Structures are given as structure tokens and as C-alpha cells.
Amino acid sequence: MVIWTTTPWTIPGNRAISFSARVAYGLYEVTASENEFGPRSGERLIFADKLAEESFSKAKLQYKRICDVPARTLSSIVCAHPLKDLGYDFPVPLLDGDHVTDDAGTGFVHTAPSHGREDFEAWTANARDLEARGISSKIPFPVDDAGYYTEDAPGFGPSAEGGAARVLDDNGKKGDANKRVMDALIAAGNLFARGRIKHEYPHSWRSKKPVIFRNTPQWFVHMDKDFGDGTTLRSRALSAIDDTRFVPAAGQNRLRAMIEGRPDWVLSRQRAWGVPICVFADVEGNVLKDEEVNARILEAFEKEGADAWFAAGAKERFLGNSNDAEKWQMVTDILDVWFDSGSTHTFTLEDRPDLKWPADVYLEGSDQHRGWFHSSLLESCATRGRAPYDAVVTHGFIMDEKGEKMSKSKGNVTAPQTVMNDAGADILRLWVMSSDYAEDLRVGKTIIQTNIDAYRKIRNTIRWMLGTLAHDKGKEISYADLPELEKLMLHRLFELDQLVRKAYDEFDFKRITRALTDFANVELSAFYFDIRKDTLYCDAPSSLKRRSALHVIRKLFDSLVLWFAPMMPFTTEEAWLSRDPNAVSVHLEQFPVVPAEWSNEALAEKWKKVRTVRRAVSGALEIERKNKRIGSSLEAAPVVHVADPELLKALEGLDFAEICITSAITILGASGPADAFRLDDVATVSVEPVLAEGTKCARSWRYTADVGSDPDFPDVSARDAAALKELGFAS
């Protein structure tokens, strides 16, 4: 049988020859030879018919075809190893393999289960049949972790003349293994032909050096071994996945598919660093089970750390006098680092009384379905019967503004430290919170600047409330006594409380950020605060409206700062302690308790109508301001025509001039003139801009007819004069 290989060094690992029942084979006889070695005239060889001519030509041989060799004949053949006389005295069976073709080579594939995945799978798939035929299915370990042959490679291992041959050296350079194997084949008369080929070895992505595949003894955790209670590690893990919450939900199917299809877990690694597998084993792989030995190991580790296992005399120290040192060997492998990380839950949560096990949530990148989430699940299910987490949250990866991978060579890297140094950590956090982190996140100068602008608006809103609350006496106002506008704001807090709590529970931070930012910018700064500035600045301290506004702003401040605290910890802590330097940290507070009585859907519906009419008035005044007919809205006293009965009813009982921030306003229940201002989407409301009459109050800037009515304060309105007197100001 003639096989073709680009890696002669794997011949000592040969245990079978693979063929294909789909390929046509023939028996060929050598009729003449021009080679100094190789087959002689009269020798008979089997080839795939499509490849025979090319093979004989390369070997400079003349030949003739004798007959067909059917697959059933091949499957019954057992060969001798080409290096039989060196100690490879075992049968080499032929195996039918799906990976064999007649595209190149000879039609027969040299099968070394120690050095190739397909070879390993072909060999193990036939292991039971081989044993039944009296052929050992044991796989050798011909190459050690330094690239040298072991004693499983007779004639090339440590006891061979010249010492052990080497496949690759520490620098990834070719060793002498190929030459020594070919020389041995020539000496045995079993080399058909040879030639030079540039072989492309796979390379390590980390060191860039070539790597070889080799079979080595390892320690495994079985996925399908019964624990004795009818469960296996696989079944426990799959059940735990069903009991775990995944955000986004697709993560559950991803992890489930990995667990369903994964092989046994290889625990051991052959590296010079890491946590050792602290067991003793005999030559058959049986583990020493001795609690006294375990206790000595534990004591040494607690005092000296993991290096105690590798210290001189450690074997004798741990085995003691009751165990045969000749029988038991120390395992020098280290644990898979994923086992280390998968164990973190027990050494953090279980060892600290202030924490709970299992964890509420594990948070990491989406690649950790294969890593930390995965190993933690298996380790915990094996030792504790469930996952070490109640929820798993995953995020995407950081890209540049164009969605391209960041690279120093491209110059498109946005470093977190740079953002924090330039803008602060809270802006970096706000960018994350306002992004769809389930997908890959984009970041760059423009995106960060957008978040800086958003942050400033939020900060300014909080700062304005702080300034306003400096005048707050902290007195509570009964809900029933509050004006409608204040009740509307409390209703909005009730709605936001529902949204914020649900979104935090769902890890939907983008939804929270958007809702709170819009509320702060649109409903507070541009609406409620804008309307109430006159009351807050000009009403007397005893004014119910002013006290109600302060009461509600206090609730707004507490709610916004507490809701934003997980997202912007530094800003909210600063604001919280600025409000009350004696308060505990904002991060030790709970979310605000929002009473159910604040919910008022009917009021909210009414004020939607009020704001619709207000929008039409604002549109009309903006044109007047743009054309410089007025400077401030307080210079206007518009006439508003409302033809829609429902909109008109919503305005009843309200100081609509205050809501529109004008000095006066007239509301008429009819259609306005054709040339009146109208919004396209509110055709039933028309506005005629009219200048306000009266005198401008020096304090409130409103135009009223009662400016100077109090001789003690001749330049202010009656309302402002009363407030000044209450504040103790003399004329």
C-alpha cells in the first residue's frame, strides 16, 4: 500500500491507512526502476487508478496494471508498519473514510490519530470494531510538549541513538525528525519516492510561530456522565439555561446551542504558569483519593500559594509516608484558565457576607457565551446544581464612527481614558447608556460631542433646580391643594416611575436615558420651568402657587437625580450632596416612592389639549419676534380663536396668559380671521398677535394696568408690590 504525506515525522504515529469505497483502485506491478531506492522490478503496489500514472512517473518507475482491487478486499487487508523492525510491530488496518479522495496523492491516506483531527475521528469511530478484531485502539503519544519524540516513537525517542529527534524547536524552526524518519524508511526499503514541498503549517495567532497537532493525555470533565441522580452535566446546564434570563434574549439560544453540541470539557493545559491540577495519578490515570493528602495540599496553598505544588520535595511532602511514591505521580498540568474564571462566583459571592449567591447578573461581551458565561455555568452546575447567575447581559464591541474596527494603524482609536480626561467619566457612561449596547457600538469625536451636549442640558436642568430649591423651606403641600399644572408634573413622574423601573429591570438603559433626557429638556426646561419662573421669582413666599411649585420641583429633583444615579454616578452624587451636605450618598438611597394618587390620566388628556393650543400661540409669537415686532412674549396680548369645542373646554378656568407667558390673552370660541396665524395640524386654532397694553412692571416685566397702584413701589405691579412688602423691602 502506498501512502503520500507532507509530514514524514508523523509516520511513527501511523496506526491505520484510510481508503474510500467511492474510489476505483487497482493492483500495479513495477516493471523497471531508475531509482537508487524504492520499489524494485516485480514488486506489486495498490493505487487509486486516477493517481497511479502520476505517482509512478514521479518515482521514475515503469509499471503495468494487473487487476481491480474492490473495496471489500481493501477493508479486509491488514498491513505491517513500514518501520516494523524498529519496534512498530503491530497490525495496521485499512479503514473506509469519507475524507479520502483521488484528487491528489495515491488514494490512500496515512492515518496517525496522534496528529490529525480527521485521523483521530476516523480511528476512534472504528475503535470498537478494531478491538473486536483483536487490534488495540490505544492511541500513542509520540511527541512531547517540547516537540521531541517520546518513547512511543521507537527508534526516534530519548533512548534512540543520537537522542530524541525533534519536530519543531522553540523558535518554530524545523527539527531533524523528517530527515531521520526518511532515512529510516530508506534503510527499511519502504520509501516509494521523495520530493521537496513548501509546507504551510498552521501558525499561532499570538506568537506567529508554526504549530503542530499532537495527541496528549488530558484531564476531562464528562458532559454526559450520570451524577447518580439521573442528571448529567449537560442536562443540568441546559436546565439552568432555561431558568436564566438573557438580555438580549438571543443569548439564550446561542449558549444553549453551544452546550448541546459541546464535547467533554478539557480541564488540563500544558503551560509553565497557572493554577496546578493538584492530584496524584497512577500510570492508568486513576486519581489518588486521600483526605490527608488533600489537607496537606490545602494547608500549603493557604500559606504559600499555588507555587507550593511546584516546590522542591513537594511530592514527598504531600504524599506522606502512607502512599507509594513510586506508584503515584504528580500531575504537572495546569487548569484551563476558563475553569479559574468560571470559579470566581464562589470566591467572591460566597465568601462575602454582604453579597448573595447566585449573582443577580453576569455582564460581559457577546463572545463570553463561549467563555466566562459558559465555564461559570458548567462549573456551578457540576458543583452546585444550578447556574451562578439569575441573568446574563451581553453587549457588542466598540467600533469607530463609520462602524469599522478600531486600529492604531488606522488612527481611528477612541481611548476611554482620553474621553474621561477631556469630558469626564459620566459622559463616557452616558454615551454607553444612550446606545443600543446589544449591537456593536460606534464612538468618535462627533458622537462624544453629541453626548457632551446632552449631558450639559441634563446638568443645567439639575443645576437650575438646585438654585431654585435654595429658597425651599421643605414644607409639604397636600395633593388636593396643588394647582393643575403641578398635578400634571406629578402625573408625569408617576408615568416615568413605571417606565424607569421596568426599563432598569430589563436593562434597557437607552430607553431610560431617552425618556429622562426628553422630560428634562422638553417638559421641564421648555414648559413647566418656563411657565413657573414668574411665580417662583415674583410671587410672595406665602403664595400657595409658589409653595406648590417648590414642593413639586423638590419631587422632580429627587426623582431625576435618583433615577440618573446608576448612569451618571459622579454628577448625581455632586448634586445630591449640594442639596444637603449632611445627606448620605445618593448611591445608598432607594428609588423614590411615587404615590398612586399622582396618576391622573384625565388631567393628562386635558393638558394635551391645552398644550396643543399653547403651541399655536407660541408659533404666532415666534413670527412676531422674528420680525422684531416684539422682543419678549410678555410684550404680547394675543387673541386666540378656538373653533374646536373640546380644545375650548380644556382652557376653562386656566390662566392661559400665564401658560403662554404673555401679559394678557383673549380666548374666543369661534373661527378667526382668514389672515390669522394657524398651524397646519391645528387648523381649528387661529391666533391674532396683539401688543400688550399697560405699563411694564420693573420686577416681573409683565405689562399691566396696575403698575404704580402702590405708592410705596411706583414701578411695579400690585402683585409684585405685595411680594416686596412680605419680603421686608421698604420703598
Side-chain angles (χ1 to χ4, degrees), residues 220-261:
F220 292 86
V221 169
H222 296 296
M223 291 297 297
D224 298 307
K225 185 176 181 180
D226 197 317
F227 279 103
D229 59 0
T231 67
T232 65
L233 182 53
R234 194 186 310 276
S235 69
R236 285 186 182 184
L238 292 173
S239 177
I241 289 172
D242 291 339
D243 295 336
T244 300
R245 180 180 171 197
F246 286 82
V247 180
Q252 185 175 48
N253 290 334
R254 185 177 182 187
L255 185 54
R256 167 172 279 279
M258 290 178 180
I259 295 297
E260 285 177 336

Side-chain angles (χ1 to χ4, degrees), residues 479 487-488 490-492 494-495 596-606:
Y479 178 80
K487 288 182 178 179
L488 175 66
L490 293 183
H491 170 76
R492 288 294 294 124
F494 178 87
E495 289 184 323
E597 71 170 338
W598 290 4
S599 177
N600 194 330
E601 289 291 344
L603 182 67
E605 285 300 315
K606 171 184 175 178

Side-chain angles (χ1 to χ4, degrees), residues 236-294:
R236 285 186 182 184
L238 292 173
S239 177
I241 289 172
D242 291 339
D243 295 336
T244 300
R245 180 180 171 197
F246 286 82
V247 180
Q252 185 175 48
N253 290 334
R254 185 177 182 187
L255 185 54
R256 167 172 279 279
M258 290 178 180
I259 295 297
E260 285 177 336
R262 73 153 295 137
D264 289 341
W265 185 5
V266 185
L267 280 187
S268 48
R269 295 290 184 272
Q270 292 72 50
R271 293 197 178 108
W273 55 270
V275 177
I277 298 176
C278 303
V279 296
F280 291 89
D282 62 19
V283 293
E284 298 298 326
N286 299 306
V287 174
L288 173 63
K289 297 179 181 179
D290 187 325
E291 290 305 319
E292 292 184 3
V293 172
N294 291 341

Side-chain angles (χ1 to χ4, degrees), residues 326 499 504:
E326 292 295 323
L499 180 151
Y504 266 125

Side-chain angles (χ1 to χ4, degrees), residues 475-697:
K475 294 182 179 180
E476 295 290 310
I477 305 295
S478 168
Y479 178 80
D481 293 334
L482 294 174
E484 274 193 15
L485 185 55
E486 275 61 39
K487 288 182 178 179
L488 175 66
M489 290 300 104
L490 293 183
H491 170 76
R492 288 294 294 124
L493 283 183
F494 178 87
E495 289 184 323
L496 286 169
D497 182 67
Q498 306 295 306
L499 180 151
V500 168
R501 289 177 184 273
K502 185 174 187 294
Y504 266 125
D505 188 57
E506 295 174 351
F507 304 97
D508 190 353
F509 308 118
K510 182 179 180 180
R511 187 180 180 198
I512 300 169
T513 306
R514 179 64 181 269
L516 295 186
T517 301
D518 287 350
F519 179 65
N521 294 338
V522 178
E523 298 186 64
L524 295 184
S525 295
F527 178 66
Y528 178 63
F529 293 165
D530 209 24
I531 293 170
R532 280 294 182 247
K533 282 177 183 176
D534 178 75
T535 295
L536 290 164
Y537 297 166
C538 301
D539 274 14
S542 61
S543 161
L544 176 62
K545 191 190 296 183
R546 184 176 185 276
R547 289 186 290 114
S548 297
L550 288 171
H551 169 85
V552 168
I553 291 171
R554 190 188 324 129
K555 305 298 183 185
L556 290 167
F557 175 86
D558 290 350
S559 298
L560 283 177
V561 172
L562 289 168
W563 287 335
F564 268 126
M567 300 185 178
M568 299 189 299
F570 300 105
T571 301
T572 52
E573 180 78 341
E574 178 189 11
W576 192 255
L577 297 180
S578 294
R579 173 88 173 96
D580 181 3
N582 298 316
V584 298
S585 169
V586 70
H587 305 298
L588 296 176
E589 298 283 358
Q590 298 295 316
F591 278 175
V593 176
V594 176
E597 71 170 338
W598 290 4
S599 177
N600 194 330
E601 289 291 344
L603 182 67
E605 285 300 315
K606 171 184 175 178
W607 275 82
K608 283 181 183 178
K609 299 180 177 69
V610 173
R611 294 185 69 171
T612 296
V613 181
R614 181 181 189 265
R615 189 157 52 86
V617 174
S618 298
L621 297 182
E622 184 58 33
I623 292 175
E624 297 302 296
R625 190 181 292 109
K626 184 178 180 180
N627 293 329
K628 301 186 184 305
R629 288 192 284 267
I630 61 172
S632 162
S633 61
L634 289 173
E635 295 178 19
V639 176
V640 183
H641 303 271
V642 183
D644 185 330
E646 289 191 5
L647 293 181
L648 185 64
K649 184 178 180 181
L651 302 179
E652 291 178 3
L654 297 179
D655 184 348
F656 199 52
E658 178 186 47
I659 293 168
C660 294
I661 316 177
T662 59
S663 289
I665 202 162
T666 301
I667 300 173
L668 301 175
S671 298
D675 59 349
F677 174 84
R678 290 175 176 81
L679 292 175
D680 292 339
D681 60 331
V682 194
T684 58
V685 177
S686 53
V687 182
E688 292 181 275
V690 177
L691 290 176
E693 297 179 350
T695 306
K696 182 179 181 181
C697 173

